[in-house]
Structure formats: C-alpha cells, structure tokens
Amino acid sequence: MTAPDAPADGPQADRPDGAAPSAEELFSTLGTAAIDLPDAGRHTPAHTRGTTALADPGRVPPPPRTGPSGVLAPSRFDPVVRLASQVVGGPAGRRVAAATGFWRAASALMVFVVLAMGFAVVERQHCRMEGWSSPDQFFHMCYSDVPVLYGSAGLGDPGRPGLVDAVAADGSLGQPPLMAALMWTVSRLVPDEGSAAAARVFFDLSAVLLAAALAVAVLCVAVVAGRRRWDAAHLALSPVVVTAGLISYDLFAVALGCAALLAWSRQKIVTAGVLLGLTVAVRPTYAVLGVVLLAVALRAGAAGRAAATVLVGLGAYLGLRAVLLPGWLGQLGVAFSTWRDGTPGYGSLWLVPQMLAQSKPANARFWYSGDGLGATASTVLSIVGFSLVVILVLAVALASHRRPRVAHVALVAVVGCLLVSKSVPVQASLLLLPFVAWAGLRWRDHLVWATTEVVYFVAVWLYIGGLQNTDRGMPAGFYLLLMLVRLGGMTWLAVQALRAVRDPLRDPVRLPEDGGPGADDPLGGPADGAHDALVVRLV
C-alpha cells in the first residue's frame, strides 16, 4: 500500500527525492503557511486585523495563552506584576489562568481591597489612639478630614446642626452636598456622641463604609474590563488608596462614577445619568465625564444618547440640591460664589507664585516677592483652564486617527481638570484610579505616578506642620518642588493615555498581548463597535 502524493504546496513539494523534511524546514514552512490561512486572524479583533501586518508583514499573531476562560493574566505579560508574583510562586500558569473565572478574580480583588484599606487604617493608627491634634497629626502624617470635621462641625455636640445646616454651601461641613449629607448621616450612627472616643468611632465607621465603596468600585471596573478584569487591581492595590483613601469621602465619588460608567457601557441611559448626577454631587470634578461621553458619542453618531444621559445627570444633580437645600437651585449660586472668592489651595498650580515668594533665598537679588495670585486671578485662570480642557477633549475625541476609547479620553480630561483646579488635595488623586485601570496602563506607569503621590503626601503634611513649628517642618521651596513633581506625575498618566490614542499598538485592550480577542471600547456604550459619523481633521 503506497502513501498518497503530498499536496503541491506541502512540506515535500520542493524535494524531488521525496525525503521527509527536517524539523527546521517543517516549522519554517508551517510558520509561512499560517500567514495565508483564511482564518489566521481569528484571534485578532476584527477592528485590528491587518494592523499588525502593516506594522510588520512577517509577524504572525501569537497563539492565545489564557485558557478556556479567556482571562488575561497580567503576571505573564506585565514585567512589574511578573516580578511581584514571585512572592506567591511566580507567574500564573495555564491551569490557573483557565480556572480564574470572574468570581475567583473578584474574591482575590476583595482581599486586595481589605489589605489596602487595612494599611490605610494602620497608617493613621497614631491619630486613632492619641487623637487628631495639630501639629502632631501633620508630623505623624495621619491627618483626615473625617474626624476633624466631626469635631469642627459639631456633629457630636448636643446642639448638633441639622441636615440642611450641615449640607448648606456655607454650612458647617463645607463639602459638596451629597458628601456632606453622607457624613451627617454616618454621624448619627455614632453611639455616645459626646464621649472622647466619638471621633475615633466616627472615623472607624467611615473607614468600613469607604472600604465598601472601594469594593463596589473595584467590582464595577472588573465587570466592564471583561477578560482584563485583573486590571481592577490598579484600583484595589494602589498605594494612593493607602495614603489618600481615608482622608475624606472621595471613594464614594469613585464608586458612584464607576457605577455610572458601568451603566453607560450597558446602554442604561437613565441609570447612568442619575448615577453621574449623584457622582458630581459628591465630587464636582467628575462633571467632565459628561463632556467625555458627549465627545466620543458625537464621533460615533450616538450624541443623542449621550446628551440624554447628561441631561438626566444634570436633573439628578439639581434635584438633589433642591431636596437637601433651600431654593430651586439648591444654593448653587452660593456654592459658586464661595468657590469664586476662594484663593488657591494646596497642590494647585496657581499656588506657585505664592510659594516662590515664600522660598526666596536670603541673598537673592532678583526674585519674585509678590503676594501670589488672588481669588479673582486664580478664578479666571481656572475657568480658562477648564475651557481648554474641554477643547482638548473634543480634539482628542474627534481629530484622532482612530476613535479613542472613553477610558483614555476620561483620563486625559480628569488629569486636565486637576491641573487647572484652584485646589488639588491629596485625596483628589483617587479620581484617576478607575481610568488608570480601564486604560490598561502598565504597572510601571502606575507606580511612577504613585511614587510622586506618596512623596507629595509626605511633603504637604510636613509643610503644613511647619507653619506651626518651623523647627520640624518642610521649607516652602522644597514643598513647591515636590508639588510640581506630583503635577508632573499626573501629566505622565495623561501622556501615556495620549500615546495609546495615537498608536493603537500601545493599547492592550484593543490589541491584547496574548493574541486573544480584543475589545473596541468596553466603556463606549452605544459607541462600542460603531463606525465614525464625525471626524475632524486638524491641519
């Protein structure tokens, strides 16, 4: 019985002697033939097929290495995670990757949340035991708005303010309306309100609730991320959570914002709008997300749905203010006047002239010695800055070669708003974490930024403490330098997002490292997978 003839294009086609090919020839032939297979690109997203071939015509997409579940294990592709995984036995193997379903990953992420928030509590243990008193709380770097406002607003006094008095724009708490309402509500849960330990109990209750808010945010990030659900560890394990997570109630804004974008990704227009409005009522910086959704949806021809979401969000925000505060607009004018009349605060770019004047060397002949920017000048600069951020968002969304993902545009937008704000407190950086995760940035970039945040965390408390005890504090010149380093760290994140927008090969969500199926825009909602309807070409 004779063997059938080899196909004309088989491994023996060019061997007249019919001898079997060597191993090197066989693999070389198979590698070349794989390029011409009709379904050779089935592991590459439809929107990226051909992109790799154009960049490198001889490159064959690597086979998927994630297992049946399709979960991408970052320890196999991210050098930082790969190195850190040595603590638990090294990078995940095929069996671990295949067995890691959503709830298995969620369980591990919840452990990360508990660890991060536990370290945050330990970092403030000195103040928990000794009390939040100045300047001790600054030199031990355990300051928190939570217990300080509990005492200064009289939330534990017999004549404690009512809800309206505490939440009012010029009220005792001085926080955004929903954040103030949350603080006032939690204060009602404190037993023995007049005791010496009441502030500590209020802090502990707040820590538990903030940990729950962080858990909700992490789950929302993981759900949207799909097979990249482990990217939610950027939120759960960030050093920024340890340093800033318990300073104020900003993690509630992070949780509500993540829930709003999860609803948007599922095209739940009304739910997304309501949640977005509540998010802005906790931290107004997130209002820029409405501009981001409008810009991306406008390019994809879904501007109507985005506009509906923004209008519902505006209605929810104004409705909440009207319920909590007197007047049809809920003292919105008073809140704007308070912001307008405020001078630049800690962390703001507009604080630089004042810090320069304070850091004047004794023997300097030429140095800025003014009073810095006042309320009017900083207000005008902030408004101009916010306008430029809106223009930048529209330019990135509409003029880029390919429609960018919502996560990248949102990261650029939130960074831009923080850079031009009149105050950038330590806890403001928490607002960036969800978009760092959704953008698919590497841990290297995350840690570069987080290092600047940790350094600034130390600097700002030492500087504030030094205003009361000059022998132990940080000079204004060093504080200014480290403040600029922190703003540079935020800019680093925005630059990485813009690089991914310009070069799709840098976006691991659309072009996964393992060669598996990518996604167009998990946060895109109606824009996900849509064709461009409006593109602006800048000349």
Side-chain angles (χ1 to χ4, degrees):
M1 185 173 183
T2 59
D5 293 337
D9 57 348
Q12 300 178 354
D14 297 327
R15 299 180 63 89
D17 57 353
S22 64
E24 291 79 2
E25 293 172 328
L26 180 61
F27 281 113
S28 175
T29 305
L30 290 177
T32 305
I35 300 177
D36 299 325
L37 290 176
D39 58 345
R42 65 182 181 277
H43 295 304
T44 305
H47 55 275
T48 59
R49 289 175 192 169
T51 305
T52 305
L54 290 175
D56 184 2
R59 177 183 175 186
V60 180
R65 299 188 293 270
T66 56
S69 67
V71 179
L72 191 146
S75 61
R76 308 184 70 183
F77 306 102
D78 191 313
V80 174
V81 181
R82 186 180 186 88
L83 181 62
S85 68
Q86 301 299 326
V87 178
V88 292
R94 292 176 308 188
R95 295 182 183 275
V96 173
T100 305
F102 175 80
W103 292 111
R104 290 177 183 267
S107 301
L109 291 170
M110 293 304 100
V111 173
F112 296 161
V113 168
V114 172
L115 288 175
M117 295 301 286
F119 282 124
V121 172
V122 171
E123 198 276 330
R124 286 159 179 80
Q125 183 62 18
H126 175 82
C127 288
R128 286 189 70 254
M129 300 305 298
E130 303 297 333
W132 283 267
S133 59
S134 297
D136 187 63
Q137 61 182 338
F138 301 121
F139 290 125
H140 283 87
M141 288 169 267
C142 54
Y143 174 83
S144 173
D145 283 344
V146 175
V148 172
L149 288 176
Y150 181 82
S152 63
L155 296 181
D157 297 341
R160 53 180 293 155
L163 177 61
V164 173
D165 294 331
V167 176
D170 53 354
S172 56
L173 284 171
Q175 300 294 317
L178 186 52
M179 182 184 290
L182 289 170
M183 286 187 172
W184 184 88
T185 303
V186 175
S187 70
R188 299 295 299 267
L189 304 176
V190 178
D192 301 326
E193 297 173 351
S195 66
R200 183 173 65 219
V201 174
F202 179 64
F203 175 81
D204 292 344
L205 286 173
S206 299
V208 173
L209 294 175
L210 289 170
L214 178 61
V216 170
V218 169
L219 288 176
C220 290
V221 171
V223 170
V224 174
R227 64 190 300 263
R228 294 188 62 91
R229 61 191 62 132
W230 284 108
D231 284 347
H234 281 285
L235 178 56
L237 269 182
S238 177
V240 178
V241 171
V242 177
T243 57
L246 296 180
I247 292 181
S248 189
Y249 274 30
D250 286 70
L251 282 177
F252 283 109
V254 175
L256 287 170
C258 291
L261 292 175
L262 171 60
W264 169 257
S265 71
R266 300 296 188 266
Q267 302 194 41
K268 306 295 184 182
I269 304 301
V270 175
T271 303
V274 171
L275 290 172
L276 184 59
L278 297 179
T279 303
V280 176
V282 179
R283 186 52 69 191
T285 305
Y286 266 171
V288 74
L289 296 181
V291 179
V292 172
L293 297 182
L294 281 171
V296 176
L298 181 63
R299 175 158 182 168
R305 297 185 182 183
T309 300
V310 172
L311 290 176
V312 171
L314 180 61
Y317 175 73
L318 295 177
L320 179 69
R321 295 192 69 99
V323 169
L324 293 177
L325 300 169
W328 287 101
L329 295 179
Q331 294 186 332
L332 190 60
V334 177
F336 176 78
S337 299
T338 302
W339 174 80
R340 180 195 60 200
D341 297 336
T343 55
Y346 294 115
S348 174
L349 184 64
W350 316 131
L351 193 65
V352 170
Q354 180 180 335
M355 291 294 100
L356 278 175
Q358 293 182 15
S359 59
K360 178 181 179 180
N363 57 352
R365 298 184 57 185
F366 302 99
W367 198 268
Y368 176 77
S369 57
D371 297 329
L373 297 177
T376 302
S378 58
T379 298
V380 171
L381 288 173
S382 293
I383 293 175
V384 172
F386 291 140
S387 301
L388 293 177
V389 170
V390 171
I391 295 174
L392 176 62
V393 167
L394 292 173
V396 171
L398 298 178
S400 57
H401 180 70
R402 183 179 174 191
R403 177 172 49 80
R405 293 196 292 116
V406 168
H408 290 136
V409 183
L411 184 56
V412 172
V414 177
V415 167
C417 286
L418 292 180
L419 291 179
V420 300
S421 293
K422 296 178 72 172
S423 177
V424 190
V426 173
Q427 64 271 23
S429 298
L430 294 168
L431 305 179
L432 300 173
L433 287 174
F435 306 108
V436 171
W438 277 323
L441 298 189
R442 288 190 177 274
W443 271 94
R444 178 202 64 181
D445 301 315
H446 182 147
L447 293 179
V448 167
W449 162 65
T451 300
T452 67
E453 293 290 338
V454 173
V455 170
Y456 178 77
F457 174 81
V458 175
V460 67
W461 303 136
L462 291 181
Y463 173 73
I464 296 174
L467 297 178
Q468 302 179 42
N469 187 340
T470 55
D471 294 336
R472 301 173 59 188
M474 176 174 286
F478 284 103
Y479 170 70
L480 172 60
L481 175 62
L482 296 179
M483 183 184 74
L484 293 176
V485 168
R486 181 207 185 191
L487 297 179
M490 293 182 181
T491 306
W492 172 266
L493 293 180
V495 169
Q496 301 311 308
L498 290 174
R499 292 178 70 188
V501 170
R502 292 192 60 184
D503 184 3
L505 295 178
R506 293 181 179 272
D507 187 356
V509 173
R510 285 179 168 170
L511 193 65
E513 302 98 322
D514 65 346
D520 178 42
D521 190 354
L523 277 179
D528 184 24
H531 296 287
D532 288 341
L534 175 64
V535 180
V536 177
R537 296 302 180 198
L538 301 178
V539 179

